[in-house]
Every structure is written in C-alpha cells, then in structure tokens.
Coordinates of all heavy atoms in Angstrom, one line a residue:
M32 N -6.7 14.8 -9.9 CA -6.7 13.3 -9.9 C -8.1 12.8 -9.7 O -8.8 13.3 -8.7 CB -5.7 12.9 -8.9 CG -5.3 11.4 -9.1 SD -4.0 10.9 -7.9 CE -2.6 11.4 -8.8
N33 N -8.6 11.8 -10.4 CA -10.0 11.3 -10.1 C -9.9 9.9 -9.4 O -8.8 9.4 -9.2 CB -10.8 11.2 -11.4 CG -10.1 10.3 -12.4 OD1 -9.5 9.3 -12.1 ND2 -10.3 10.7 -13.7
C34 N -11.0 9.4 -9.1 CA -11.1 8.2 -8.3 C -10.4 7.1 -9.0 O -9.7 6.3 -8.4 CB -12.5 7.8 -8.1 SG -13.4 9.0 -7.0
R35 N -10.5 7.0 -10.3 CA -9.9 5.9 -11.0 C -8.4 6.0 -11.0 O -7.7 5.0 -10.7 CB -10.4 6.1 -12.6 CG -10.4 4.7 -13.2 CD -11.0 4.9 -14.5 NE -10.3 4.0 -15.5 CZ -10.5 4.0 -16.8 NH1 -11.4 4.7 -17.3 NH2 -9.9 3.2 -17.6
D36 N -7.9 7.2 -11.2 CA -6.4 7.4 -11.0 C -5.9 7.0 -9.7 O -4.9 6.3 -9.5 CB -6.1 8.9 -11.2 CG -6.4 9.3 -12.7 OD1 -6.4 8.4 -13.6 OD2 -6.5 10.6 -12.9
V37 N -6.7 7.5 -8.7 CA -6.2 7.2 -7.3 C -6.2 5.8 -7.0 O -5.3 5.2 -6.4 CB -7.2 7.9 -6.3 CG1 -7.0 7.5 -4.9 CG2 -7.0 9.5 -6.3
R38 N -7.3 5.0 -7.4 CA -7.3 3.6 -7.1 C -6.3 2.8 -7.8 O -5.7 1.9 -7.3 CB -8.7 3.0 -7.5 CG -9.7 3.5 -6.3 CD -11.1 3.3 -6.8 NE -12.0 4.1 -5.9 CZ -13.1 3.6 -5.3 NH1 -13.5 2.3 -5.5 NH2 -13.8 4.4 -4.5
A39 N -5.9 3.3 -9.0 CA -4.9 2.6 -9.8 C -3.6 2.7 -9.1 O -2.7 1.9 -9.3 CB -4.8 3.1 -11.2
L40 N -3.3 3.8 -8.4 CA -2.1 4.2 -7.8 C -1.9 3.7 -6.3 O -0.8 3.8 -5.6 CB -1.8 5.7 -7.8 CG -1.5 6.2 -9.2 CD1 -1.6 7.7 -9.3 CD2 -0.1 5.7 -9.7
L41 N -3.1 3.2 -5.8 CA -3.0 3.0 -4.3 C -2.0 2.0 -3.8 O -1.3 2.2 -2.9 CB -4.5 2.4 -3.9 CG -5.5 3.5 -3.6 CD1 -6.7 2.8 -3.1 CD2 -5.1 4.5 -2.5
S42 N -1.7 0.9 -4.6 CA -0.8 -0.1 -4.2 C 0.6 0.4 -4.3 O 1.4 0.2 -3.5 CB -1.0 -1.5 -4.9 OG -0.7 -1.3 -6.2
C43 N 0.9 1.2 -5.3 CA 2.1 1.9 -5.5 C 2.4 2.9 -4.3 O 3.5 3.0 -3.8 CB 2.3 2.7 -6.8 SG 2.4 1.6 -8.2
Y44 N 1.3 3.6 -4.0 CA 1.4 4.6 -2.9 C 1.7 3.8 -1.6 O 2.6 4.2 -0.9 CB 0.1 5.2 -2.8 CG -0.1 6.1 -1.6 CD1 0.5 7.3 -1.5 CD2 -0.9 5.6 -0.5 CE1 0.2 8.1 -0.3 CE2 -1.1 6.4 0.7 CZ -0.5 7.6 0.8 OH -0.7 8.4 1.8
L45 N 1.1 2.7 -1.3 CA 1.4 1.9 -0.1 C 2.8 1.4 0.0 O 3.4 1.2 1.0 CB 0.4 0.8 0.0 CG -1.0 1.2 0.5 CD1 -2.0 0.0 0.2 CD2 -0.9 1.5 2.0
D46 N 3.3 1.1 -1.2 CA 4.8 0.6 -1.3 C 5.8 1.8 -1.3 O 7.0 1.5 -1.4 CB 4.9 -0.2 -2.6 CG 4.3 -1.6 -2.4 OD1 4.0 -2.0 -1.3 OD2 4.0 -2.2 -3.5
G47 N 5.3 3.0 -1.3 CA 6.1 4.2 -1.3 C 6.8 4.4 -2.7 O 7.9 4.9 -2.7
E48 N 6.1 3.9 -3.7 CA 6.7 4.0 -5.0 C 6.2 5.1 -5.9 O 6.4 5.1 -7.0 CB 6.5 2.7 -5.8 CG 7.3 1.5 -5.2 CD 6.8 0.1 -5.8 OE1 5.9 0.1 -6.6 OE2 7.4 -0.8 -5.4
V49 N 5.6 6.2 -5.2 CA 5.2 7.3 -6.0 C 6.0 8.5 -5.7 O 6.4 8.6 -4.5 CB 3.7 7.5 -5.8 CG1 2.8 6.4 -6.3 CG2 3.3 7.7 -4.4
D50 N 5.9 9.5 -6.5 CA 6.6 10.8 -6.3 C 5.9 11.5 -5.1 O 4.7 11.3 -5.0 CB 6.6 11.7 -7.5 CG 7.4 11.1 -8.6 OD1 8.3 10.2 -8.4 OD2 7.2 11.5 -9.9
D51 N 6.6 12.5 -4.6 CA 6.0 13.4 -3.6 C 4.7 14.0 -4.1 O 3.7 14.1 -3.4 CB 7.0 14.4 -3.0 CG 8.0 13.8 -2.1 OD1 7.8 12.6 -1.7 OD2 8.9 14.5 -1.7
T52 N 4.8 14.5 -5.3 CA 3.7 15.3 -5.9 C 2.5 14.3 -6.0 O 1.4 14.7 -5.7 CB 4.0 15.7 -7.3 OG1 5.4 15.9 -7.4 CG2 3.3 16.9 -7.7
V53 N 2.7 13.1 -6.5 CA 1.6 12.1 -6.7 C 1.1 11.7 -5.3 O -0.1 11.7 -5.1 CB 2.1 10.9 -7.4 CG1 1.1 9.8 -7.5 CG2 2.6 11.3 -8.8
R54 N 2.0 11.6 -4.3 CA 1.5 11.2 -3.0 C 0.6 12.2 -2.5 O -0.4 12.0 -1.9 CB 2.7 10.9 -2.2 CG 2.4 10.3 -0.8 CD 3.6 9.9 0.0 NE 4.3 11.1 0.4 CZ 5.6 11.1 0.4 NH1 6.4 10.1 0.1 NH2 6.3 12.2 0.7
Q55 N 1.1 13.5 -2.6 CA 0.2 14.6 -2.0 C -1.2 14.6 -2.7 O -2.2 14.9 -2.1 CB 1.0 15.9 -2.2 CG 2.0 16.1 -1.1 CD 2.9 17.2 -1.5 OE1 2.8 18.0 -2.4 NE2 4.1 17.1 -0.8
S56 N -1.2 14.4 -4.0 CA -2.5 14.4 -4.7 C -3.3 13.2 -4.3 O -4.6 13.4 -4.0 CB -2.3 14.2 -6.2 OG -1.3 15.1 -6.8
I57 N -2.7 12.1 -3.9 CA -3.4 10.9 -3.5 C -4.1 11.3 -2.1 O -5.2 11.1 -1.8 CB -2.7 9.7 -3.5 CG1 -2.3 9.3 -4.9 CG2 -3.4 8.6 -2.7 CD1 -1.4 8.1 -5.0
E58 N -3.1 11.9 -1.2 CA -3.6 12.1 0.1 C -4.8 13.2 0.1 O -5.7 13.1 0.9 CB -2.5 12.6 1.0 CG -1.6 11.4 1.3 CD -0.2 11.8 1.9 OE1 0.1 13.0 2.0 OE2 0.6 10.9 2.4
A59 N -4.6 14.2 -0.7 CA -5.6 15.2 -0.9 C -7.0 14.6 -1.3 O -8.1 15.0 -0.8 CB -5.2 16.3 -1.8
H60 N -6.9 13.7 -2.2 CA -8.1 13.0 -2.7 C -8.8 12.2 -1.7 O -9.9 12.2 -1.4 CB -7.8 12.2 -3.9 CG -9.0 11.6 -4.6 ND1 -9.7 12.2 -5.6 CD2 -9.7 10.4 -4.2 CE1 -10.8 11.4 -5.9 NE2 -10.8 10.3 -5.1
L61 N -8.0 11.4 -0.9 CA -8.4 10.5 0.1 C -9.1 11.3 1.2 O -10.1 10.9 1.8 CB -7.3 9.6 0.7 CG -6.7 8.6 -0.3 CD1 -5.6 7.8 0.4 CD2 -7.7 7.6 -0.7
A62 N -8.6 12.5 1.5 CA -9.1 13.4 2.5 C -10.5 13.8 2.2 O -11.4 14.0 3.1 CB -8.3 14.6 2.8
G63 N -10.8 13.9 0.9 CA -12.2 14.4 0.5 C -13.1 13.3 -0.1 O -14.2 13.7 -0.6
C64 N -12.6 12.1 -0.3 CA -13.4 11.0 -0.9 C -13.6 9.8 -0.1 O -12.6 9.0 0.0 CB -12.8 10.8 -2.3 SG -13.7 9.6 -3.3
A65 N -14.7 9.7 0.5 CA -14.9 8.5 1.5 C -14.8 7.2 0.8 O -14.2 6.3 1.3 CB -16.2 8.7 2.2
P66 N -15.4 7.0 -0.4 CA -15.2 5.7 -1.0 C -13.8 5.3 -1.3 O -13.4 4.1 -1.1 CB -16.0 5.8 -2.4 CG -16.9 7.0 -2.2 CD -16.2 7.8 -1.2
C67 N -13.0 6.2 -1.8 CA -11.5 5.9 -2.0 C -10.8 5.6 -0.7 O -9.9 4.8 -0.6 CB -10.9 7.0 -2.9 SG -11.4 7.0 -4.6
K68 N -11.2 6.4 0.3 CA -10.6 6.2 1.5 C -10.8 4.9 2.2 O -9.9 4.2 2.7 CB -11.0 7.3 2.6 CG -10.0 7.4 3.7 CD -10.4 8.5 4.7 CE -9.3 8.5 5.8 NZ -9.7 9.4 6.9
S69 N -12.0 4.3 2.0 CA -12.3 3.1 2.6 C -11.6 1.9 1.7 O -11.1 1.0 2.2 CB -13.8 2.7 2.7 OG -14.6 3.3 1.8
E70 N -11.5 2.2 0.4 CA -10.7 1.3 -0.5 C -9.3 1.3 0.0 O -8.7 0.2 0.1 CB -10.8 1.8 -1.9 CG -10.0 1.0 -2.9 CD -10.8 -0.2 -3.5 OE1 -12.0 -0.3 -3.2 OE2 -10.2 -0.9 -4.2
F71 N -8.7 2.5 0.3 CA -7.3 2.6 0.7 C -7.1 1.8 2.0 O -6.2 1.1 2.2 CB -7.0 4.0 0.8 CG -5.7 4.3 1.7 CD1 -4.4 4.0 1.0 CD2 -5.8 4.7 2.9 CE1 -3.3 4.2 1.8 CE2 -4.6 4.9 3.6 CZ -3.4 4.6 3.1
E72 N -8.1 2.1 3.0 CA -7.9 1.3 4.3 C -8.0 -0.2 4.1 O -7.3 -0.9 4.8 CB -8.9 1.9 5.3 CG -8.5 3.2 5.8 CD -9.7 4.0 6.6 OE1 -10.7 3.5 6.7 OE2 -9.4 5.1 6.9
A73 N -8.9 -0.6 3.2 CA -9.0 -2.1 3.0 C -7.7 -2.6 2.4 O -7.1 -3.6 2.9 CB -10.1 -2.4 2.1
I74 N -7.1 -1.9 1.4 CA -5.9 -2.5 0.8 C -4.7 -2.3 1.8 O -3.9 -3.3 1.9 CB -5.5 -1.6 -0.5 CG1 -6.6 -1.8 -1.5 CG2 -4.2 -1.9 -1.0 CD1 -6.4 -1.0 -2.8
S75 N -4.7 -1.3 2.5 CA -3.6 -1.1 3.5 C -3.6 -2.1 4.6 O -2.5 -2.7 5.0 CB -3.6 0.3 4.0 OG -3.6 0.4 5.4
K76 N -4.8 -2.6 5.0 CA -4.9 -3.6 6.0 C -4.4 -5.0 5.4 O -3.6 -5.6 6.1 CB -6.4 -3.8 6.4 CG -6.6 -3.7 7.9 CD -8.1 -3.9 8.2 CE -8.7 -2.4 8.7 NZ -10.1 -2.5 8.9
T77 N -4.8 -5.2 4.2 CA -4.4 -6.5 3.5 C -2.9 -6.5 3.3 O -2.2 -7.5 3.6 CB -5.0 -6.6 2.1 OG1 -6.4 -6.4 2.2 CG2 -4.7 -7.9 1.6
V78 N -2.3 -5.4 2.9 CA -0.8 -5.3 2.7 C -0.1 -5.5 4.0 O 0.9 -6.3 4.0 CB -0.5 -4.0 2.1 CG1 1.1 -3.8 2.1 CG2 -1.0 -3.9 0.6
R79 N -0.6 -4.9 5.0 CA 0.1 -5.1 6.4 C 0.0 -6.5 6.8 O 0.9 -7.1 7.4 CB -0.6 -4.2 7.4 CG 0.3 -3.0 7.6 CD -0.3 -2.1 8.8 NE -0.7 -0.8 8.2 CZ -1.8 -0.1 8.5 NH1 -2.6 -0.6 9.5 NH2 -2.1 1.0 8.0
M80 N -1.2 -7.2 6.6 CA -1.3 -8.6 7.0 C -0.4 -9.5 6.3 O 0.2 -10.3 6.8 CB -2.8 -8.9 6.8 CG -3.2 -10.1 7.6 SD -5.1 -10.4 7.3 CE -5.2 -10.8 5.6
I81 N -0.3 -9.2 4.9 CA 0.6 -10.1 4.1 C 2.0 -9.9 4.5 O 2.7 -10.9 4.7 CB 0.5 -9.7 2.7 CG1 -1.0 -10.2 2.1 CG2 1.5 -10.3 1.8 CD1 -1.3 -9.6 0.7
R82 N 2.4 -8.6 4.8 CA 3.8 -8.4 5.2 C 4.1 -9.1 6.6 O 5.2 -9.7 6.7 CB 4.1 -6.9 5.4 CG 4.3 -6.4 4.0 CD 4.8 -4.9 4.1 NE 4.6 -4.3 2.8 CZ 4.5 -3.0 2.5 NH1 4.3 -2.2 3.5 NH2 4.6 -2.6 1.3
R83 N 3.1 -9.1 7.5 CA 3.3 -9.8 8.8 C 3.4 -11.3 8.6 O 4.3 -11.9 9.2 CB 2.1 -9.5 9.7 CG 2.4 -9.7 11.1 CD 1.4 -9.1 12.0 NE 1.1 -7.7 11.8 CZ 0.0 -7.0 12.0 NH1 -1.1 -7.7 12.4 NH2 -0.1 -5.7 11.8
L84 N 2.6 -11.9 7.7 CA 2.7 -13.3 7.4 C 4.1 -13.6 6.9 O 4.6 -14.6 7.2 CB 1.6 -13.7 6.5 CG 0.2 -13.7 7.1 CD1 -0.8 -14.0 6.0 CD2 0.1 -14.7 8.2
Q85 N 4.6 -12.8 6.0 CA 5.9 -13.1 5.4 C 6.9 -13.0 6.4 O 7.9 -13.8 6.4 CB 6.2 -12.1 4.2 CG 5.3 -12.4 3.0 CD 5.6 -11.3 1.9 OE1 5.9 -10.2 2.2 NE2 5.2 -11.7 0.7
D86 N 6.8 -12.1 7.3 CA 7.8 -11.9 8.4 C 7.9 -13.2 9.3 O 8.9 -13.6 9.8 CB 7.5 -10.7 9.3 CG 7.9 -9.4 8.6 OD1 8.6 -9.5 7.6 OD2 7.6 -8.3 9.2
L87 N 6.7 -13.8 9.5 CA 6.6 -14.9 10.4 C 6.9 -16.3 9.7 O 7.2 -17.2 10.4 CB 5.1 -15.0 11.0 CG 4.7 -13.9 11.9 CD1 3.2 -14.0 12.3 CD2 5.5 -13.9 13.1
D88 N 6.9 -16.3 8.4 CA 7.1 -17.5 7.7 C 8.6 -17.9 7.7 O 9.4 -17.2 7.1 CB 6.6 -17.4 6.2 CG 6.6 -18.6 5.5 OD1 7.3 -19.6 6.0 OD2 6.0 -18.7 4.4
P89 N 8.9 -18.9 8.3 CA 10.4 -19.3 8.4 C 11.0 -19.8 7.1 O 12.1 -19.8 6.9 CB 10.4 -20.5 9.4 CG 8.9 -21.0 9.4 CD 8.1 -19.9 9.0
G90 N 10.1 -20.2 6.1 CA 10.6 -20.5 4.8 C 11.0 -19.3 4.0 O 11.6 -19.5 2.9
K91 N 10.7 -18.1 4.4 CA 11.0 -16.9 3.6 C 12.1 -16.0 4.4 O 12.0 -14.8 4.2 CB 9.7 -16.1 3.4 CG 8.8 -16.9 2.4 CD 7.8 -16.0 1.9 CE 6.9 -16.9 0.9 NZ 5.8 -16.2 0.4
K92 N 12.9 -16.6 5.1 CA 14.0 -15.9 5.8 C 15.0 -15.3 4.7 O 15.2 -15.9 3.6 CB 14.8 -16.7 6.6 CG 14.2 -16.8 8.0 CD 15.1 -17.5 9.0 CE 14.5 -17.6 10.4 NZ 15.3 -18.4 11.2
P93 N 15.5 -14.1 4.9 CA 16.4 -13.4 3.9 C 17.7 -14.1 3.7 O 18.4 -13.8 2.7 CB 16.5 -12.0 4.4 CG 16.1 -12.1 5.9 CD 15.2 -13.2 6.1
E94 N 18.1 -14.9 4.7 CA 19.4 -15.5 4.5 C 19.4 -16.8 3.7 O 19.0 -17.9 4.2 CB 20.2 -15.9 5.8 CG 20.0 -14.9 6.9 CD 18.8 -15.1 7.7 OE1 18.7 -16.1 8.5 OE2 17.9 -14.3 7.8
P95 N 19.8 -16.9 2.4 CA 19.7 -18.0 1.6 C 20.7 -19.1 1.9 O 20.5 -20.3 1.7 CB 20.0 -17.5 0.2 CG 20.7 -16.3 0.4 CD 20.3 -15.7 1.7
F96 N 21.7 -18.8 2.7 CA 22.8 -19.7 3.0 C 22.8 -20.2 4.5 O 23.7 -20.8 5.0 CB 24.1 -19.2 2.7 CG 24.3 -18.8 1.3 CD1 24.5 -17.4 1.0 CD2 24.3 -19.7 0.3 CE1 24.6 -17.0 -0.4 CE2 24.3 -19.3 -1.1 CZ 24.5 -18.0 -1.4
A97 N 21.6 -20.0 5.1 CA 21.5 -20.3 6.5 C 21.7 -21.8 6.8 O 21.1 -22.6 6.0 CB 20.2 -19.8 7.1
G98 N 22.4 -22.2 7.7 CA 22.6 -23.6 8.0 C 23.9 -24.1 7.5 O 24.6 -24.9 8.0
Ligands
ZN352 ZN1 -12.2 9.0 -5.0

C-alpha cells in the first residue's frame, strides 16, 4: 500500500469501515511513514473534535420524539 492509498482510506479507517487486512496494512504503513502518520493524527483529532461537538449539541439528540 502506498501513501496515496493510505490517505484515501484514512477516514474510513477512523470510522472502522475497513477490513482487518486493510486496517493492518494501514497500521503497518503508518508505523513506517512519518508524513502519513501526522496526516492520520491531524484527521483523527478533527474527527474526535467533531464527534464531541455533536455529542454536546442539544439540537442533535438521538430521540426525535422528545418532549
Ligand atoms: Zn505514507
């Protein structure tokens, strides 16, 4: 797997939407490729921040019939 493949799959990887084989290839690549690793860390930070904001937003509660 090359850098381009890894970067294309990073968001799916963060969402847990890749096969075990693919995940292992990504992890192996990240372990040996500093540029992709920092890209991964930047995306993962953003994703976590967005998820936290969605959790805190009272307009996005999962119960549609509340009230
Ligand atoms: Zn790379």
Side-chain angles (χ1 to χ4, degrees):
M32 198 174 275
N33 60 35
C34 294
R35 209 174 141 183
D36 294 335
V37 169
R38 287 169 195 225
L40 288 166
L41 277 181
S42 63
C43 291
Y44 170 79
L45 281 166
D46 286 340
E48 287 171 0
V49 294
D50 293 344
D51 281 355
T52 332
V53 175
R54 192 173 62 219
Q55 280 162 17
S56 306
I57 292 173
E58 283 167 0
H60 184 94
L61 291 178
C64 182
C67 286
K68 197 172 179 193
S69 31
E70 177 89 7
F71 165 74
E72 280 165 5
I74 293 175
S75 121
K76 233 178 252 176
T77 309
V78 167
R79 260 184 244 144
M80 198 171 66
I81 290 169
R82 283 187 189 155
R83 199 168 302 153
L84 288 176
Q85 284 173 341
D86 284 349
L87 293 174
D88 186 346
K91 291 192 178 174
K92 275 188 178 174
E94 321 88 64
F96 302 115

